[in-house]
Amino acid sequence: MGKRRYPKIFIRSKRELARHISDKHFTPEKALSLINDSLDNFNFYWKDSRSSKPEKQKFVRAAVGTPLGVLLDKISQKVLSTHDNLVPFFIFGGIKGKSHVMAAKELIGSKRKRTLLKIDIKGFYEKIDSERVERFFWGKCGCSKKIARIFGRLCCVPIGAKNGGAEGKTIARGFSTSPRLAVWCNLDFFIKLEWLVKKRLKGKNPRIAIYVDDIGITASNASKKEMALLYKEIEILSSLDNNQKLPLHPLGKKSKIMCHDKGLEILGVGLRRNKLDIGFKTKSKIDSIKSRMKKSVGSEDFNKLKQRKKGLYRYADYVRNF
């Protein structure tokens, strides 16, 4: 029998959800009260964060420090994260114990002359609506439709700025439940994508790594033309109704093809023959801080810059020795 693809959660009511998120320090009664409070006062417990980018239609939502934030953390930790072991090995974003550096390492191949196809998904979180979240819980996980609707109400917010009057709801960029829900709601597409990559790049040591909305694909002795054709196929695959229509950034600035002779980089990490290195932005930050330190010897800023440099050096060591 093959490995089970989706988690079996089987929550049928609010009381069952309360039991799921309770522990010896947090009784089911308190959990039920928290659920009801969060549902009744949902709109008062979240806001648009200052890190939002309205010009790009990217709104980060904040619920930290509120009862809703507490509930979302418990749902993420006790309902969703317990099934992280089911997520395929090539998916790294939003999974306990995985990181962007691990994703970059997955793309290092055993053969020389690697080519990298880097794909960025447009408005990833905003493309996952509340209906898909509900279908995941009742259609894939065995939850009742009633509790699926409650998960949709708790994990999703209206599109656009808060109180902007827009119709439709999507998972909230910034909620602790969103990274895992983004993976689960797009799992079928990600699995089809891996199949396609292995089929088209067979014999070229293909590797794929997905980190939130960034997709990295590497292969040995693959031409730019081959990778461009693969991108076109992935674009078609991502546009199908049954794959939830995830629009990709066109090849150019955010999605691009990189060859070994020009240097490969993804997620801010450089890919070398058998190792990782820091990316261009981190190197530039280090050079900039060194330059500023020379000009600020004896000033109040010198020690602050020195600490920042130490932090970047520690990160560089972490990446290079991973």
Side-chain angles (χ1 to χ4, degrees):
M1 185 179 292
K3 183 179 177 182
R4 179 160 49 90
R5 180 177 294 185
Y6 286 96
K8 297 303 179 185
I9 297 174
F10 296 121
I11 297 175
R12 314 296 295 178
S13 67
K14 282 194 287 187
R15 288 193 177 276
E16 284 187 28
L17 174 58
R19 286 197 291 271
H20 258 76
I21 65 174
S22 64
D23 55 45
K24 62 181 179 180
H25 303 295
F26 188 65
T27 65
E29 290 73 22
K30 288 182 178 179
L32 183 59
S33 177
L34 178 66
I35 294 166
N36 287 327
D37 180 26
S38 296
L39 288 169
D40 291 342
N41 299 289
F42 179 80
N43 209 44
F44 298 104
Y45 287 157
W46 68 273
K47 62 183 179 181
D48 288 341
S49 168
R50 284 180 293 180
S51 58
S52 298
K53 297 177 180 177
E55 70 282 0
K56 295 183 179 180
Q57 288 299 300
K58 287 187 177 180
F59 294 91
V60 180
R61 323 298 187 157
V64 177
T66 71
L68 174 63
V70 172
L71 177 58
L72 291 171
D73 285 345
K74 289 185 178 296
I75 291 173
S76 181
Q77 293 164 15
K78 298 195 173 189
V79 177
L80 297 175
S81 74
T82 54
H83 303 284
D84 281 355
N85 63 303
L86 295 178
V87 176
F89 71 94
F90 58 88
I91 298 175
F92 295 85
I95 307 302
K96 187 188 299 180
K98 291 191 174 184
S99 68
H100 72 288
V101 180
M102 292 178 72
K105 186 181 179 183
E106 178 64 26
L107 296 172
I108 295 178
S110 58
K111 298 179 181 179
R112 295 177 181 272
K113 296 182 179 180
R114 305 290 286 176
T115 305
L116 167 67
L117 171 58
K118 184 166 65 171
I119 300 174
D120 189 89
I121 301 172
K122 288 182 184 178
F124 184 47
Y125 287 144
E126 291 76 14
K127 293 297 182 290
I128 305 167
D129 61 32
S130 58
E131 289 184 7
R132 283 174 60 191
V133 172
E134 292 175 20
R135 282 201 305 272
F136 162 67
F137 280 107
W138 69 260
K140 306 289 189 181
C141 303
C143 294
S144 68
K145 288 191 176 183
K146 179 180 178 181
I147 204 69
R149 284 193 292 270
I150 287 175
F151 279 126
R153 286 174 60 189
L154 292 169
C155 300
C156 299
V157 298
I159 297 168
K162 185 174 182 179
N163 299 324
E167 294 183 3
K169 295 175 68 178
T170 69
I171 61 171
R173 186 182 291 268
F175 279 11
S176 56
T177 48
S178 294
R180 285 188 173 90
L181 287 177
V183 169
W184 287 117
C185 289
N186 289 290
L187 186 61
D188 288 346
F189 166 67
F190 291 150
I191 289 173
K192 290 174 186 175
L193 173 58
E194 191 217 10
W195 291 344
L196 177 62
V197 169
K198 285 184 174 180
K199 182 178 179 180
R200 291 292 178 260
L201 299 174
K202 186 177 181 180
K204 297 179 182 291
N205 190 224
R207 298 291 186 93
I208 178 172
I210 298 171
Y211 188 83
V212 192
D213 56 357
D214 286 296
I215 300 170
I217 300 163
T218 59
S220 292
N221 297 308
S223 67
K224 276 192 170 185
K225 184 178 180 180
E226 283 179 285
M227 289 303 211
L229 290 172
L230 176 61
Y231 170 84
K232 286 295 183 184
E233 286 195 80
I234 294 171
E235 190 176 39
I236 293 169
L237 182 67
S238 69
S239 68
L240 301 177
D241 282 327
N242 59 345
N243 289 330
Q244 293 88 42
K245 291 190 175 181
L246 289 174
L248 310 179
H249 281 282
L251 287 177
K253 187 176 181 181
K254 287 198 170 184
S255 295
K256 59 180 69 175
I257 299 170
M258 307 170 77
C259 295
H260 67 282
D261 55 337
K262 301 292 183 181
L264 309 182
E265 183 177 323
I266 190 169
L267 300 169
V269 179
L271 310 181
R272 305 293 178 259
R273 175 72 168 86
N274 286 309
K275 61 182 180 179
L276 301 175
D277 198 0
I278 54 175
F280 174 76
K281 284 186 178 180
T282 304
K283 289 178 180 178
S284 296
K285 285 180 183 178
I286 291 173
D287 291 341
S288 175
I289 288 173
K290 284 180 178 180
S291 176
R292 290 166 63 189
M293 284 177 69
K294 288 179 182 178
K295 297 175 183 178
S296 62
V297 175
S299 72
E300 293 181 4
D301 288 338
F302 182 81
N303 287 333
K304 292 181 182 178
L305 291 168
K306 186 177 180 181
Q307 289 303 312
R308 286 179 62 190
K309 188 183 79 169
K310 282 183 178 180
L312 288 170
Y313 274 4
R314 281 195 295 270
Y315 172 71
D317 286 342
Y318 165 70
V319 171
R320 288 165 177 159
N321 297 321
F322 193 80

